[in-house]
Amino acid sequence: MNYTDNNIETSYKKILESYLNTGSEHVLYEAQQFTRTLLEHKTSPEELVSLHRSIMDQLYPELPDDIQASFDFLLEAMMGYGMAYREHQILRDRQQELEAEIDVAAKMQQTLLPREDVSVQGLDIGIVSVPAKKMSGDYYHYVQDQFGSIGLAIADIIGKGVPAALCMSMIKYAMDSLPEQQLNPSALLENLNRVVEQNVDDSMFVTMMYGYYNIQAHEFTYSGAGHEPGFFYHAKNDSFEDLSAKGLVLGVSKKATYQEYVKQLDIGDMVILLTDGVTECRMGEEFLEREEIVDLIRKSMHLKAQELAENVYRELSKLQDFTLRDDLTLIILRRQV
């Protein structure tokens, strides 16, 4: 049945009168269908109650006073309900718009990450990067030069959501525009720092570690900008040490400089880069100790680097009841020959 503004009252009266006379479930179904027309005409709950009362006055002009009063009560209640419902609808629409924007930003983030598996002669490389929510504040990037050597970057943007995604895109394109400095980690960080300082809000900062592995010299040269220390594994004596690099986080001071460090890799040695989603993993109210992270790495060291990284992630996820509290990124680089 199609309804118009002119016959809504007549149609509702007909349906109501029919139900009062028959109590038919079919008429109840017709009433349910009629509510769609009320929505199309943007009829508010209080307007429906007022319409119902008016028709009841027509059908039963001598209704008891207490029944009449109950309609007054219901009308007032529906006015409050209608206002609350409309506010809820507005908030829901805004929430849906925000979620749609976040989905777009999350997809944009995925396009910023490397799309192909990295392959470097003589190296075994594994990478895992998992956001705690739709949007991630973690970022990683790699570039290979004409000699086959590789530059690896790992970053943590202090800030979430769409601003973090925009900052991430800025960092990626800034790195891609500085190919001549990929051999020089300190110079690359100094240039990125100026870009971040000039273009990012004061409330946002970026920590980063960038390293360059020379496949001829088997050296890993790296610099850090306030980033979480990684690990370096010495295969010869089966020991781990912290891979630290002092340096101010990106975006604080345009005059910041960064020191370079060098690690010689022998066969079996590993460089492990990570974000604080790894080191700040919690078991209950306590953070996981770095020694415990080393133990997790040791359990899977016999595996390929990618399997090793994935196993460590699974173990950390299990310790947190499969609910990450922070974005997690882990990069493992192991010399094979």
Side-chain angles (χ1 to χ4, degrees):
M1 183 182 295
N2 294 321
Y3 301 96
T4 65
D5 289 328
N6 295 329
N7 68 7
I8 282 181
E9 181 175 352
T10 302
S11 300
Y12 185 76
K13 180 179 179 181
K14 180 180 177 181
I15 295 171
L16 176 59
E17 192 171 14
S18 177
Y19 178 72
L20 293 174
N21 290 332
T22 66
S24 168
E25 289 189 7
H26 176 74
V27 179
L28 279 178
Y29 175 75
E30 189 177 350
Q32 291 174 358
Q33 297 300 108
F34 182 73
T35 59
R36 297 181 180 179
T37 300
L38 297 177
L39 289 174
E40 291 173 1
H41 287 76
K42 299 181 180 180
T43 303
S44 66
E46 61 268 26
E47 288 172 333
L48 177 58
V49 172
S50 181
L51 173 62
H52 184 88
R53 177 181 181 177
S54 174
I55 293 172
M56 288 296 289
D57 283 340
Q58 297 173 34
L59 297 176
Y60 305 98
E62 296 183 359
L63 279 174
D65 291 343
D66 56 348
I67 300 298
Q68 293 280 7
S70 73
F71 282 122
D72 291 335
F73 177 84
L74 181 58
L75 182 59
E76 289 296 324
M78 285 298 99
M79 289 178 66
Y81 171 80
M83 292 175 61
Y85 181 74
R86 286 189 287 273
E87 290 176 359
H88 169 75
Q89 290 292 97
I90 291 171
L91 291 175
R92 189 187 68 173
D93 291 344
R94 288 177 180 173
Q95 177 79 18
Q96 290 175 342
E97 290 175 3
L98 179 59
E99 288 180 358
E101 289 179 1
I102 291 175
D103 286 340
V104 170
K107 290 178 182 178
M108 183 183 75
Q109 276 193 320
Q110 291 303 311
T111 66
L112 299 176
L113 297 176
R115 298 185 182 183
E116 299 177 357
D117 293 336
V118 59
S119 177
V120 179
Q121 183 180 359
L123 290 181
D124 183 19
I125 300 174
I127 301 174
V128 169
S129 187
V130 183
K133 297 180 180 178
K134 283 186 179 181
M135 301 291 296
S136 178
D138 284 3
Y139 177 64
Y140 73 91
H141 188 57
Y142 60 78
V143 289
Q144 288 182 266
D145 63 18
Q146 67 271 30
F147 307 109
S149 296
I150 185 171
L152 283 168
I154 187 169
D156 189 351
I157 300 168
I158 312 304
K160 305 294 182 185
V162 176
L166 295 174
C167 182
M168 189 180 293
S169 65
M170 180 184 64
I171 291 172
K172 170 182 167 50
Y173 294 119
M175 289 184 65
D176 290 343
S177 68
L178 301 169
E180 72 282 356
Q181 293 170 347
Q182 291 167 4
L183 302 178
N184 190 332
S186 61
L188 185 139
L189 287 185
E190 287 171 13
N191 278 280
L192 286 180
N193 175 65
R194 284 192 287 271
V195 171
V196 172
E197 195 275 333
Q198 293 172 10
N199 296 282
V200 173
D201 186 83
D202 291 343
S203 63
M204 291 185 67
F205 305 101
V206 181
T207 72
M208 177 180 282
M209 187 173 286
Y210 179 82
Y212 175 81
Y213 182 80
N214 185 312
I215 62 171
Q216 280 80 36
H218 302 295
E219 290 180 344
F220 185 72
T221 304
Y222 63 100
S223 295
H227 195 76
E228 186 74 20
F231 295 101
F232 186 84
Y233 173 70
H234 296 272
K236 185 175 181 179
N237 54 15
D238 188 30
S239 65
F240 282 82
E241 67 176 71
D242 287 348
L243 192 72
S244 300
K246 295 181 180 180
L248 196 62
V249 298
L250 303 180
V252 173
S253 170
K254 66 174 65 177
K255 297 181 180 180
T257 58
Y258 298 91
Q259 182 179 346
E260 286 189 352
Y261 305 81
V262 181
K263 286 289 184 183
Q264 180 74 41
L265 271 73
D266 296 323
I267 294 175
D269 287 354
M270 289 192 298
V271 170
I272 301 166
L273 306 178
L274 43 80
T275 58
D276 57 12
V278 176
T279 55
E280 293 183 5
C281 170
R282 292 190 181 187
M283 293 187 299
E285 296 300 319
E286 297 183 357
F287 287 114
L288 203 65
E289 298 292 337
R290 289 180 68 86
E291 292 78 8
E292 294 174 292
I293 297 171
V294 167
D295 290 340
L296 292 179
I297 296 172
R298 283 189 177 278
K299 286 181 181 179
S300 301
M301 279 176 50
H302 60 287
L303 300 173
K304 288 285 189 180
Q306 185 61 41
E307 294 176 274
L308 168 56
E310 290 172 358
N311 276 11
V312 171
Y313 160 66
R314 281 193 288 268
E315 289 296 325
L316 292 173
S317 179
K318 189 187 301 181
L319 290 172
Q320 298 178 90
D321 295 325
F322 302 99
T323 303
L324 294 182
R325 293 180 174 86
D326 196 2
D327 308 315
L328 181 154
T329 301
L330 181 65
I331 300 175
I332 297 174
L333 181 153
R334 175 162 50 196
R335 180 183 169 187
Q336 290 182 306
V337 293

